[in-house]
Amino acid sequence: MRLLHTSDWHLGRSFHRVALLDAQAAFLDHLVATVRERAVDAVLVAGDVYDRAVPPLTAVELFDTALHRLADAGVPTVMISGNHDSARRLGVGAGLIERAGIHLRTDPAGAGTPVVLADAHGDVALYGLPYLEPALVREQFGAEKAGHEAVLTAAMDRVRADLATRPEGTRSVVLAHAFVAGGEPSDSERDITVGGVDSVPAGVFDGVDYVALGHLHGSQTVTPRVRYSGSPLAYSFSEADHRKTMWLIDLGADGAVETAERVDCPVPRPLARIRGRLDDLLAEPGLTRHEESWVEATLTDPVRPAEPMARLAERFPHTLHLVFDPERTDDDPLVSYARRLQGRDDRQIAEDFVAHVRGGSGPDGAERAVLYGAFDAVRVDAAAREVSDR
């Protein structure tokens, strides 16, 4: 069975205030063309269809058009909600849409109920695990802890229990939206940390033949059977070196991944990150290749130059982001502060603040739990408001 694995469309998202709707429409054209031209048997969309819980009407219309085109192609599509989606809104009409071969899996209660497809070698059971916010689904799944690993393990227990009732030789595929250990994040994914932990081990998915992951925006292979497709477009300059693709997976008669091919997505405009003093950037011949790229420029001038954006735009007309990182001596207090913050998340910065005001003593275990709980509460409250009836 040939599967086309994609995720993280983020319909409605812009890139540094540049609208991407046309680029997203071009990607969906490419997706449908690939389905038709490469004899795809099923499309897998592993979450974050939209960029926010209440997407703009233009994004909804684009999604609606994509559904009609996939249905017209006669190829089944299995789609889950991600942490950016409102599961309840995305799942409206799922029962009716399913009649057209579009299977929306947005309700955690359906984790153990697969879409069953068949080919010449027998059945393939496809299980859709929507993004599982631990605090909201812990009781429903009977998980011992309100953490990602606990709720995903409970959901996968339901998958394995259902699979055990299926005829021998039934192949299995799971769609999930999670941060799996070994994956490489970028700057454009929303934080899903719970209790200081954001990732789950790949072993959570043991017992199935292929796992189509969403959430991380870089295409990557965690194991030969566990893969991220990545987003079809770049959504931050941290993705400048990404090759944006979909996975074309051939699942063999025995469930083995016989081939895994990366299918390139259309690139609306390349990304470039350039760094140096302004005058040097404007004169450097080696930067000619970036003159038509979307550019993030980091200026290292010791003193902020006059009208830097306007001057950069004369050579790089698509400059979107300007960063100032002036050259400083190692004993400059601003340098040491920046270094302390580099690569540290909000929780670590909060712990550093506690240590600072105490003169060196950081939070103990109980205090750390309170800090983490506060961060979790804010994120869970936002998630709860997204799935409310309002």
Side-chain angles (χ1 to χ4, degrees), residues 13-246:
R13 189 164 184 161
S14 61
F15 184 75
H16 291 273
R17 291 177 291 191
V18 173
L20 291 178
L21 201 67
D22 288 345
Q24 291 171 335
F27 159 69
L28 291 173
D29 288 344
H30 173 65
L31 171 70
V32 174
T34 302
V35 167
R36 294 182 180 277
E37 294 168 6
R38 301 299 300 272
V40 170
D41 296 306
V43 177
L44 314 178
V45 186
D48 281 355
V49 173
Y50 291 121
D51 189 56
R52 55 183 185 266
V54 184
L57 181 58
T58 50
V60 177
E61 291 171 340
L62 183 58
F63 178 60
D64 180 63
T65 299
L67 292 187
H68 279 83
R69 296 177 68 189
L70 287 168
D72 288 344
V75 176
T77 297
V78 183
M79 184 177 297
I80 62 173
S81 50
N83 62 301
H84 278 250
D85 298 308
S86 166
R88 295 182 70 175
R89 289 187 176 93
L90 185 63
V92 168
L96 287 173
I97 295 171
E98 190 157 8
R99 298 179 187 179
I102 308 294
H103 306 273
L104 297 174
R105 292 295 185 260
T106 63
D107 185 352
T113 303
V115 176
V116 180
L117 305 179
D119 62 10
H121 305 292
D123 289 348
V124 179
L126 299 97
Y127 299 87
L129 310 185
Y131 172 69
L132 303 173
E133 174 55 56
L136 301 181
V137 302
R138 174 187 176 184
E139 292 185 5
Q140 180 179 352
F141 281 97
E144 294 182 2
K145 299 179 180 179
H148 290 295
E149 183 175 356
V151 297
L152 266 174
T153 297
M156 283 301 302
D157 285 345
R158 294 189 181 188
V159 168
R160 286 183 280 263
D162 178 84
L163 193 56
T165 69
R166 305 259 161 206
E168 185 176 353
T170 298
R171 290 158 290 167
S172 54
V173 174
V174 164
L175 290 77
H177 197 85
F179 187 169
V180 175
E184 182 66 32
S186 64
D187 292 343
S188 55
E189 298 107 8
R190 183 182 295 172
D191 181 27
I192 59 170
T193 301
V194 175
V197 178
D198 57 5
S199 64
V200 300
V204 164
F205 299 104
D206 285 351
V208 296
D209 296 314
Y210 183 71
V211 181
L213 292 174
H215 181 56
L216 300 185
H217 288 181
S219 177
Q220 48 202 298
T221 301
V222 180
T223 76
R225 294 179 182 271
V226 181
R227 298 172 187 262
Y228 283 98
S229 66
S231 59
L233 298 171
Y235 292 117
S236 72
F237 277 102
S238 66
E239 301 166 58
D241 295 329
H242 285 189
R243 175 186 166 197
K244 294 301 184 180
T245 60
M246 302 178 284

Side-chain angles (χ1 to χ4, degrees), residues 307-364:
E307 299 183 337
M309 183 63 88
R311 293 172 63 191
L312 277 167
E314 291 178 2
R315 183 180 187 188
F316 307 103
H318 305 288
T319 301
L320 300 181
H321 191 213
L322 196 56
V323 179
F324 292 97
D325 186 17
E327 298 166 354
R328 299 182 187 276
T329 60
D330 288 342
D331 59 355
D332 190 313
L334 292 177
V335 170
S336 61
Y337 178 71
R339 287 177 179 168
R340 287 201 305 272
L341 292 184
Q342 187 173 14
R344 303 183 71 76
D345 61 27
D346 291 344
R347 292 161 183 78
Q348 293 168 322
I349 293 171
E351 290 187 37
D352 288 348
F353 176 75
V354 173
H356 172 72
V357 297
R358 285 180 171 171
S361 175
D364 59 25

